[in-house]
Structure formats: structure tokens, C-alpha cells
Amino acid sequence: MSKPISKTLIIGLGLIGGSLAKALKINRHCGQIIGYDRDFEESKAGYNAGVIDLAIENLVDAVSTADLIVLAVPVKAMEKVLMDIAPFIAEDTLITDVGSTKGNVVAAAKRVFGDVPTGFVPGHPIAGSEKSGVAAADHTLFENHKVILTPLAESSSDSVNVFTRMWESTGAEVLVMNVDKHDEVLAATSHLPHMLAFSLVDTLAQEQDNNTDIFRYAAGGFRDFTRIAGSDPTMWHDICLANKQALLSQLDRYTAGLANLRAAIECGDSESMLGTFTRAKAAREHFSRILSGTAYSQHMSNQQVTFRAQPGGSVSGKIRVPGDKSISHRSIMLGSLADGVTEVTGFLEGEDSLATLQAFRDMGVVIEGPDAGNVTIYGVGVNGLQAPPGPLYVGNSGTSMRLLSGLLAAQAFDTELSGDESLTKRPMGRVADPLRLMGAEIETAENGRPPLKIKGGQSLKGIHYDMPMASAQVKSCLLLAGLYAEGDTSVTEPAPTRDHTERMLTGFGYPVEQNGSTAKVTPGGQLHATRIDVPADISSATFFMVAAAICPDSDLTIEHVGINPTRIGIINILRLMGANLELLNEREVGGEPVADIRIRYAPLKGIHIPEDQVPLAIDEFPAIFIAAISAEGTTVVSGAEELRVKESDRIQAMVDGLKILGADIEGTEDGAVIQGGTLTGGTVESHDDHRIAMAFAVASLRSTGTITINECANVATSFPGFVELAQSAGIKVEKEKG
Ligand code: S3P
């Protein structure tokens, strides 16, 4: 443990040194704050302004008694100051700096000290303002800003901890990275943009004849882009020299990118131009969402959404629910692998399918939209994906992670797949194990959980796989891997599961051989771009089907719903329970059957749900539990153990919630026994599971009191606009954000 800090010496009382001194003086985190500046008048001004406890003129005395020293002088002056103070620094003194480049500061320290002291931890607060000098010192300057510490091999962990706590006491967020990485990151994110701004303004200003016109007519874009050209020239001169190598390589990358764009403009290469603009726009939007804390990754973890549903009501009218989630995911995946341009309509703009869309953009695919459900995908061909710049984050989406793992296992590049807290608890061994049999190299966290680290460059062999569970995700994962394997890949399922992958591959002109319960692909084919009209999601429609089925006086039509035979378990089950349900206007759209579904109230009766219907209604059980409560008699669910590994343990979540609402229900290993009856009001947990949240909202139609449902933000994964649509249909649910 390092000794307590009773004296802190800040050398250099400019904006950064002064602000740090003031923050530490106010929060009393680092003992007495002593200030030194080359210009003693500045030190005195600092003392008079309450920035420091003591102003000193003689540096040597202060250095020898200080426990902690902060070098807040310009980067160029660092070596000289170090040289002046080195002989007087005690062995256990902690030293840091605030320079905006690090490689040169470390090199200077090495020259001065030979062996750099263990107490030396270089640092860089990423904060500033146009003001300068101690008079501008602001103790809040670092609040919510980042400070990067770049410990050296010699730095002791105690010193890193002390500096971390010091900066955190000012309200900053501390990040740790190595010196080279720091200089690279800063070169890209700060130094390069400054160079571009300086150079652009300088170039335009040199146009002798019309430069005043240019500046007069320059609109917001020019002003925004060149604001930083007003920064201090001497400081930037010094930074360019201090971070020369990293800056030069960023300038080279940038000039190469600009040259590509120039060439694309010259030869009218629209695809290339649109590629650059679309990727940049998407990246910029992604970045803005992260900055404003509303990216799906952030949104999921930060935003608390509660549903409050008042009892009673009935549902009627005509509605259309958003696009099918399973088909939306697959449209992006296969559209990206196709040759040519695929147009998608009816795409689900939910967080899950958007995560898939972002993943493919990250792998270099140009995707326009989504715009009112329209997406245009510029396919790159089966072998055209590129290495993503970092881990692919797929939020809450099990489908995205499992299907992508098959595809990525066969790519030439390494990838990492990560997800949110709920996804991180879900089993991935079910895909990793058979993929390994094909020759894939995949690392998972403990017990086969995400993240998945997938090693590229493996040659896969086709296998035959007998799936131990009925899972469309596992089947699809293996078929996608099979596109790249040597030899055929076939998968046999123990019960029929959704066949959207097989249908869509066929729609893209890639044959899938179906033989009873076995699907087989042969590698080496091509996918040809096509049009995809995504039908409305029967799983989302389910909440409204159940709502109308349980509520006297209801008469609701849900339009354009996908009624693929592998998805219609809910229709079969509701009919067996006595629901009055009609399929109207049946048609086929882009290889998928579609219909309008009309449901009118009719009394329901409890049944033992046939186990062969379970995989065909696997996502519908939270809503089916509500139908069962509203039915007369007992409903038994069995053979549904897969419900325990969905976005939550759906058996437990429904049993717990319904018990709170007064229901007579018992969970079993693979289902539940549910007695029809009435529900009271109460507060239930959705466990961040979209379908649990929506099911309890529907339950309010038959409850006697208000139902409050916690943790509903994830409804946006599959059903953006659920609350508004539910209200318009007659469910009295409201959303509260916290
Ligand atoms: C899906 C398959 C199902 C389903 C999920 C979507 C798909 O999962 O629950 O919501 O798009 O393939 P399993 O394959 O794990 O049953």
C-alpha cells in the first residue's frame, strides 16, 4: 500500500493544472495542494482565487516533501521540468502528467531517470476549453470527462490505484490503456480531425480571388467542420511533432480513403460512393447514440420502462403488427451474402433485427435504411464479408448470435460475438458443439455462455447432425455454416421448427434439399438478390389474438400475418381451446403464406396442449398462459422445457407473476398446470423479457386491479410501438420511463 497523500504538488497552473488543483482542494482528496508556476504571479493569483492552499517560488523544497506530483506543463517543457526536479524526488513519490501525447513524455522520462520510478503513471485528461490560465480554473472541468492513464511496465499497481482515485474524485471516468494505443487513438480521434480542419481552411483561404465569397457563403457544414481550426497553433505544432508517427499513419489512412472517394466520383461509381456515405452515416449515428446514451446497447441497460395496465376493456378494429423478427434477421443475413441488391419491405425495426443489421454493416456490407420498413442491401456475395473493426454486439438477440456463429465460423477472419446481460446467460453450447464437429474453433465463456470468440481461417467439413432439441436457431446456424463446408451438411430435427432459413435460401436461388425432418445444403452455390416482403409477425400478433379471445365483445382483425405452417401453433391451440378465429384473404407473399386473422370473443376451455404444437408456438407461451387463466377448467403445458432458456426462464417468470396476481398455477419441469380463474392487480416482474411484459399487459383485460409490470424496455426488441398499438386496440396500458 502506498502512504497516505498529505502534500500534492501541481507544477504548472494553466487551465488543466489549475482546474485539477481546485477540484482536489475542494474535495480534500489529496491533502494540501501546493502550486508552482514558472510565473510566480500566476501562482499568487491561484492562491488568491482559492485554487491552491499554498503558492511556492522554490520548486526544489516542495518537490522533496511532496507525496504526489502532477506535471501540468506543456508537453514540450516536460523533459526540462523532469530534469530540474529528478534529483529531489523521494523514492516513494507518485508522479503523473497531463500531457495530450504520451510516447514522447515517456521517452523523456526514460532519458531523465534511466530507470523510471515505480510511482510514475502518465495520464491524459480529455478535457479543456478555449480559456487558459489559472484565472479560468474550473473545478468541474473533469466531471463526466474521460481521463486516460497509461501505466508503464515499471508502474506499481498501488500508484495506478492512487491516480485512478484522484481523477475519480474530480468526477472523471478513468480508462487505462498502453502508451502506443493512447497515441494511436488520440491521433485518430483528435489530432487527425484538427489537421483536416486546419488544412481545409488554409487551402480555401489561399484561393486568392474568391476566398471572401467562399467564407461568406460557407454554410453550417463548413462552420461545424472547421470550428477546431481556431485552436492554438503553437500547441498543435508541438502535438504534431510529439505524436508524429501515429499522426502520419492516420493521415496516410485518411488520404487513401479520400483517394478512393475521388476515384469513385471520377468514374461515377455510385455503389462505392453510396458505400462510403452510408457506412459513415450509420457509424456516425451509432456513435451519436452512444454519446447520448441511447444506443441499443446503452438503452437496454440504462433505461427503465414500466408498464401500468388498468383493468378491463375490450379490443376491436383492424391492426397491423410489425414485421416478423425471424424473417427480418434472415433477410439481412442472406441479402448480405447475395450477389446484387436485395430490397426488403416490412422489415422489423426492433432492437434485435437492428442489431443484426449493424453487425453486417460492421462487416462491410452497405445497407440503406431502415426507412418505414424498407431496407436496401448491397450484397457482397457468399465470400465478401470483411473483418469487423471490433466485437459484434447483438444486444438481446439469441437468433442473431446463434445464426451468426454458423456464418462466422467459416470466415477467414476472427470475430467475437457479445450481447446484453440476458443473452450472456443463454446457452451457446448448442451451436458451438456441432460447429466444432464441423471443424470450427470457438471459445465460449463458462458453461458455453457468450461471449463467443470465433477463430477465422478454419476449413469446415460438412456433417450430419441429429439435433437433441427442436431449435430453428441451431438448424439455421448449421445450414449457414454448411454453405462454406466441404461436403454436404444435413440437420435432422426431432420436431418441426420454423423453416424460414430453408425457404429464404430457396428464394435466393440456393437449393435446400428437404427429406422428411432432414434439411440438407450443398456448399459452393451462390445467392441471387431478390425482393423480400416480410409479413407481420405472428408472435407479435399473438398478444392481440389472445386479447380478443379472452375479452367479451372483442372483434379484431390483424392484417398480413405470416401463417407459415411451422409457426401456427398459436392458431391451432387457441382453436382447440374454443376460440373463434378465422383466416381471411390467404395468400403467398415472397415464399411465405400470409393471411388476415379475425378473432372474436368466445368462451375458452382448458386443454392439455398437444406436445407436437409446442415447437410451433414456442414464443407464444407467455400469452398462452394468459389465455389459460381466462379459460374454464385446467390447462396443462408439457414438453416445453425449452421455455426455460429463452430471454428469461419463461415458465418461472409466468408462474411467479401469475401467482402474484392471485392465479392458481403450478410450474413443472417442462411446463405448468394452470387453473382458469380471475386475476387481481399487483406488481409483476418481466425479467427484461419482452414477451413476458406484453403477456402481462394483455392479462389486464381480465384482471380486477391495475397490473404494474417492471423492466419493460426490451419490448422494443421485437415490438416497437406495442403500447401505442395496444391502446389503439383498446388495452388500457401506459408506459412510464424512469
Ligand atoms: C427463432 C427460433 C426460436 C425462437 C426465437 C426465434 C428463429 O428459438 O424462440 O424467438 O428465428 O430461428 P429456438 O430455435 O431456440 O427454439
Side-chain angles (χ1 to χ4, degrees):
M1 279 296 290
S2 53
K3 63 177 183 180
I5 309 297
S6 59
K7 281 188 182 178
T8 290
L9 170 62
I10 313 263
I11 303 178
L13 291 177
L15 174 74
I16 300 288
S19 299
L20 176 60
K22 192 169 181 185
L24 296 178
K25 182 172 179 312
I26 290 173
N27 71 30
R28 286 274 144 239
H29 188 78
C30 283
Q32 186 187 29
I33 307 299
I34 304 166
Y36 171 85
D37 196 277
R38 198 163 61 130
D39 176 1
F40 188 52
E41 290 306 311
E42 281 289 285
S43 309
K44 280 199 292 192
Y47 176 76
N48 291 333
V51 169
I52 51 177
D53 294 312
L54 178 67
I56 53 149
E57 235 181 326
N58 180 346
L59 188 54
V60 169
D61 288 350
V63 166
S64 53
T65 58
D67 305 306
L68 189 155
I69 299 175
V70 180
L71 297 164
V73 299
V75 168
K76 234 176 54 168
M78 213 69 88
E79 184 157 1
K80 161 95 177 57
V81 175
L82 279 173
M83 224 139 55
D84 291 347
I85 65 173
F88 310 102
I89 298 176
E91 208 182 313
D92 54 358
T93 305
L94 303 172
I95 313 162
T96 190
D97 75 306
V98 298
S100 56
T101 56
K102 299 273 58 99
N104 62 324
V105 172
V106 172
K110 286 193 170 147
R111 283 193 295 273
V112 172
F113 293 110
D115 290 332
V116 177
T118 56
F120 181 46
V121 182
H124 175 199
I126 305 181
S129 90
E130 307 76 53
K131 300 186 199 133
S132 58
V134 75
D138 170 8
H139 65 281
T140 65
L141 187 68
F142 308 107
E143 277 175 15
N144 302 319
H145 281 69
K146 292 193 167 48
V147 172
I148 303 177
L149 294 180
T150 60
L152 309 176
E154 296 86 343
S155 311
S156 71
S157 54
D158 275 351
S159 12
V160 178
N161 290 339
V162 171
F163 286 119
T164 302
R165 285 198 301 273
M166 176 188 89
W167 281 114
E168 284 175 351
S169 80
T170 69
E173 181 197 348
V174 176
L175 307 173
V176 174
M177 60 179 74
N178 70 38
V179 170
D180 291 346
K181 178 83 184 165
H182 169 277
D183 285 356
E184 227 177 83
V185 167
L186 267 289
T189 56
S190 166
H191 307 168
L192 176 65
H194 277 86
M195 295 308 107
L196 305 188
F198 281 127
S199 166
L200 175 64
V201 176
D202 182 45
T203 307
L204 295 190
Q206 281 176 23
E207 286 212 14
Q208 297 298 336
D209 297 339
N210 59 359
N211 67 21
T212 35
D213 276 356
I214 286 175
F215 291 118
R216 186 176 310 136
Y217 300 131
F222 177 84
R223 262 207 311 276
D224 291 350
F225 183 73
T226 57
R227 179 180 56 81
I228 50 181
S231 311
D232 179 358
T234 316
M235 183 178 91
W236 280 100
H237 161 266
D238 294 351
I239 288 175
C240 288
L241 296 182
N243 201 21
K244 181 170 160 180
Q245 282 320 324
L247 178 53
L248 285 179
S249 52
Q250 292 303 336
L251 275 168
D252 289 346
R253 280 186 60 195
Y254 175 74
T255 32
L258 202 56
N260 284 342
L261 188 54
R262 189 191 182 286
I265 297 170
E266 189 169 38
C267 53
D269 180 350
S270 302
E271 197 173 318
S272 170
M273 282 187 270
L274 278 170
T276 303
F277 303 149
T278 312
R279 278 193 305 274
K281 181 174 188 298
R284 172 69 211 178
E285 279 162 5
H286 189 56
F287 174 66
S288 314
R289 283 199 300 268
I290 287 173
L291 285 183
S292 63
T294 56
Y296 51 77
S297 52
Q298 305 272 319
H299 157 83
M300 289 300 159
S301 52
N302 290 345
Q303 201 179 33
Q304 286 303 326
V305 176
T306 304
F307 285 177
R308 217 174 292 284
Q310 304 301 333
S314 64
V315 294
S316 55
K318 266 194 180 151
I319 59 169
R320 179 162 174 165
V321 300
D324 188 282
K325 182 151 76 68
S326 295
I327 299 177
S328 295
H329 280 300
R330 288 159 171 85
S331 71
I332 298 291
M333 295 181 185
L334 300 192
S336 296
L337 297 182
D339 289 315
V341 181
T342 290
E343 302 278 357
V344 184
T345 52
F347 180 79
L348 168 66
E349 294 181 36
E351 304 284 353
D352 273 13
S353 36
L354 290 174
T356 293
L357 189 152
Q358 183 60 39
F360 280 85
R361 278 188 176 143
D362 286 349
M363 290 189 283
V365 182
V366 176
I367 304 175
E368 285 175 31
D371 179 10
N374 298 322
V375 178
T376 305
I377 308 163
Y378 294 84
V380 294
V382 175
N383 294 309
L385 296 178
Q386 290 166 21
L392 297 171
Y393 178 81
V394 295
N396 193 246
S397 177
T399 308
S400 191
M401 185 169 282
R402 295 201 177 113
L403 269 59
L404 270 172
S405 66
L407 204 57
L408 296 175
Q411 302 301 318
F413 46 84
D414 296 351
T415 36
E416 181 173 336
L417 282 168
S418 66
D420 71 1
E421 207 185 316
S422 147
L423 185 57
T424 303
K425 293 187 198 136
R426 297 183 66 188
M428 293 297 145
R430 56 178 56 196
V431 286
D433 292 341
L435 286 172
R436 287 184 189 121
L437 294 177
M438 295 178 78
E441 265 204 47
I442 303 181
E443 241 182 75
T444 64
E446 222 176 309
N447 295 325
R449 310 286 149 174
L452 301 183
K453 291 187 178 151
I454 302 176
K455 184 123 194 60
Q458 311 302 311
S459 37
L460 303 187
K461 299 179 303 290
I463 55 167
H464 171 74
Y465 191 63
D466 274 311
M467 273 198 298
M469 74 290 286
S471 167
Q473 293 178 353
V474 176
K475 171 178 65 173
S476 304
C477 161
L478 298 180
L479 293 177
L480 290 177
L483 302 184
Y484 298 86
E486 197 191 312
D488 296 347
T489 297
S490 53
V491 187
T492 301
E493 50 190 9
T497 67
R498 64 194 69 191
D499 61 359
H500 304 302
T501 305
E502 299 90 301
R503 281 176 189 253
M504 204 184 283
L505 275 169
T506 311
F508 274 94
Y510 200 111
V512 180
E513 198 184 306
Q514 192 70 45
N515 199 344
S517 54
T518 302
K520 182 165 93 179
V521 290
T522 301
Q526 264 186 325
L527 281 77
H528 304 288
T530 182
R531 297 184 74 83
I532 297 174
D533 180 353
V534 181
D537 197 327
I538 190 166
S539 297
S540 298
T542 291
F543 298 102
F544 290 95
M545 287 193 232
V546 169
I550 64 173
C551 208
D553 301 328
S554 295
D555 182 355
L556 186 74
T557 301
I558 313 169
E559 294 176 320
H560 204 74
V561 182
I563 51 161
N564 180 312
T566 60
R567 297 285 296 280
I568 54 167
I570 181 63
I571 294 176
N572 301 336
I573 291 168
L574 283 176
R575 278 185 170 154
L576 287 173
M577 293 177 83
N580 178 356
L581 197 147
E582 272 175 279
L583 298 184
L584 308 169
N585 195 12
E586 285 188 54
R587 58 215 182 262
E588 186 161 311
V589 177
E592 290 279 351
V594 166
D596 301 333
I597 302 180
R598 181 175 183 195
I599 315 109
R600 277 169 288 181
Y601 171 74
L604 299 184
K605 58 179 191 300
I607 57 166
H608 188 149
I609 293 175
E611 289 195 6
D612 63 0
Q613 294 301 310
V614 169
L616 310 183
I618 192 65
D619 290 336
E620 285 45 286
F621 278 90
I624 290 171
F625 277 45
I626 304 301
I629 289 288
S630 315
E632 199 189 315
T634 307
T635 296
V636 178
V637 178
S638 61
E641 58 279 0
E642 275 292 301
L643 293 178
R644 294 206 180 268
V645 290
K646 293 294 176 189
E647 286 83 327
S648 67
D649 175 342
R650 285 186 173 157
I651 295 176
Q652 201 61 46
M654 288 308 296
V655 168
D656 290 349
L658 284 170
K659 277 191 172 162
I660 288 171
L661 301 179
D664 182 354
I665 176 170
E666 286 310 323
T668 61
E669 198 102 307
D670 62 345
V673 179
I674 309 157
Q675 308 300 337
T678 48
L679 293 178
T680 60
T683 299
V684 297
E685 303 301 323
S686 81
H687 300 279
D688 275 327
D689 184 329
H690 51 140
R691 299 201 201 281
I692 302 292
M694 291 185 276
F696 280 119
V698 170
S700 66
L701 288 165
R702 292 288 293 249
S703 72
T704 55
T706 304
I707 302 180
T708 301
I709 311 153
N710 288 328
E711 298 176 337
C712 298
N714 276 354
V715 166
T717 59
S718 67
F719 204 146
F722 167 74
V723 166
E724 295 73 11
L725 193 64
Q727 287 168 349
S728 77
I731 303 175
K732 298 183 206 160
V733 59
E734 278 180 0
K735 176 159 59 175
E736 288 167 18
K737 290 186 184 167

mmCIF file of all heavy atoms in Angstrom, residues 101 204 225 242 413 566 662 691:
data_model
loop_
_atom_site.group_PDB
_atom_site.id
_atom_site.type_symbol
_atom_site.label_atom_id
_atom_site.label_comp_id
_atom_site.label_asym_id
_atom_site.label_seq_id
_atom_site.Cartn_x
_atom_site.Cartn_y
_atom_site.Cartn_z
ATOM 1 N N THR A 101 -0.029 13.911 -25.412
ATOM 2 C CA THR A 101 0.609 12.791 -26.104
ATOM 3 C C THR A 101 1.438 12.070 -25.050
ATOM 4 O O THR A 101 1.869 12.680 -24.072
ATOM 5 C CB THR A 101 1.533 13.280 -27.237
ATOM 6 O OG1 THR A 101 2.480 14.185 -26.681
ATOM 7 C CG2 THR A 101 0.745 13.988 -28.322
ATOM 8 N N LEU A 204 -8.656 26.766 -48.580
ATOM 9 C CA LEU A 204 -9.680 27.659 -49.131
ATOM 10 C C LEU A 204 -9.256 29.121 -48.997
ATOM 11 O O LEU A 204 -9.499 29.924 -49.887
ATOM 12 C CB LEU A 204 -11.020 27.438 -48.427
ATOM 13 C CG LEU A 204 -11.667 26.064 -48.617
ATOM 14 C CD1 LEU A 204 -13.077 26.060 -48.074
ATOM 15 C CD2 LEU A 204 -11.701 25.658 -50.084
ATOM 16 N N PHE A 225 -17.534 21.963 -39.306
ATOM 17 C CA PHE A 225 -16.378 21.121 -39.586
ATOM 18 C C PHE A 225 -15.067 21.827 -39.243
ATOM 19 O O PHE A 225 -14.081 21.192 -38.900
ATOM 20 C CB PHE A 225 -16.404 20.719 -41.065
ATOM 21 C CG PHE A 225 -15.299 19.794 -41.455
ATOM 22 C CD1 PHE A 225 -15.334 18.469 -41.046
ATOM 23 C CD2 PHE A 225 -14.225 20.236 -42.198
ATOM 24 C CE1 PHE A 225 -14.299 17.615 -41.383
ATOM 25 C CE2 PHE A 225 -13.193 19.389 -42.537
ATOM 26 C CZ PHE A 225 -13.225 18.066 -42.129
ATOM 27 N N ALA A 242 5.171 15.871 -31.407
ATOM 28 C CA ALA A 242 5.196 14.920 -30.293
ATOM 29 C C ALA A 242 4.578 13.586 -30.693
ATOM 30 O O ALA A 242 4.979 12.536 -30.214
ATOM 31 C CB ALA A 242 4.453 15.511 -29.097
ATOM 32 N N PHE A 413 -11.686 -14.449 -41.148
ATOM 33 C CA PHE A 413 -11.231 -13.549 -40.075
ATOM 34 C C PHE A 413 -11.810 -13.978 -38.723
ATOM 35 O O PHE A 413 -12.834 -14.654 -38.656
ATOM 36 C CB PHE A 413 -11.637 -12.111 -40.389
ATOM 37 C CG PHE A 413 -13.062 -11.961 -40.851
ATOM 38 C CD1 PHE A 413 -14.099 -11.860 -39.942
ATOM 39 C CD2 PHE A 413 -13.376 -11.943 -42.215
ATOM 40 C CE1 PHE A 413 -15.406 -11.732 -40.356
ATOM 41 C CE2 PHE A 413 -14.690 -11.810 -42.648
ATOM 42 C CZ PHE A 413 -15.708 -11.709 -41.707
ATOM 43 N N THR A 566 -45.056 -23.797 -39.835
ATOM 44 C CA THR A 566 -44.202 -24.085 -38.678
ATOM 45 C C THR A 566 -44.355 -23.025 -37.579
ATOM 46 O O THR A 566 -43.643 -23.065 -36.578
ATOM 47 C CB THR A 566 -42.711 -24.139 -39.089
ATOM 48 O OG1 THR A 566 -42.344 -22.857 -39.648
ATOM 49 C CG2 THR A 566 -42.442 -25.226 -40.095
ATOM 50 N N GLY A 662 -52.727 -13.643 -8.103
ATOM 51 C CA GLY A 662 -53.776 -14.453 -7.476
ATOM 52 C C GLY A 662 -54.173 -15.699 -8.238
ATOM 53 O O GLY A 662 -55.188 -16.322 -7.911
ATOM 54 N N ARG A 691 -41.570 -10.631 -24.146
ATOM 55 C CA ARG A 691 -42.850 -11.335 -24.283
ATOM 56 C C ARG A 691 -43.563 -11.503 -22.928
ATOM 57 O O ARG A 691 -44.785 -11.546 -22.865
ATOM 58 C CB ARG A 691 -42.653 -12.679 -24.970
ATOM 59 C CG ARG A 691 -42.079 -12.524 -26.382
ATOM 60 C CD ARG A 691 -42.337 -13.726 -27.250
ATOM 61 N NE ARG A 691 -41.405 -13.767 -28.367
ATOM 62 C CZ ARG A 691 -41.514 -13.038 -29.482
ATOM 63 N NH1 ARG A 691 -42.514 -12.195 -29.629
ATOM 64 N NH2 ARG A 691 -40.609 -13.144 -30.450
#
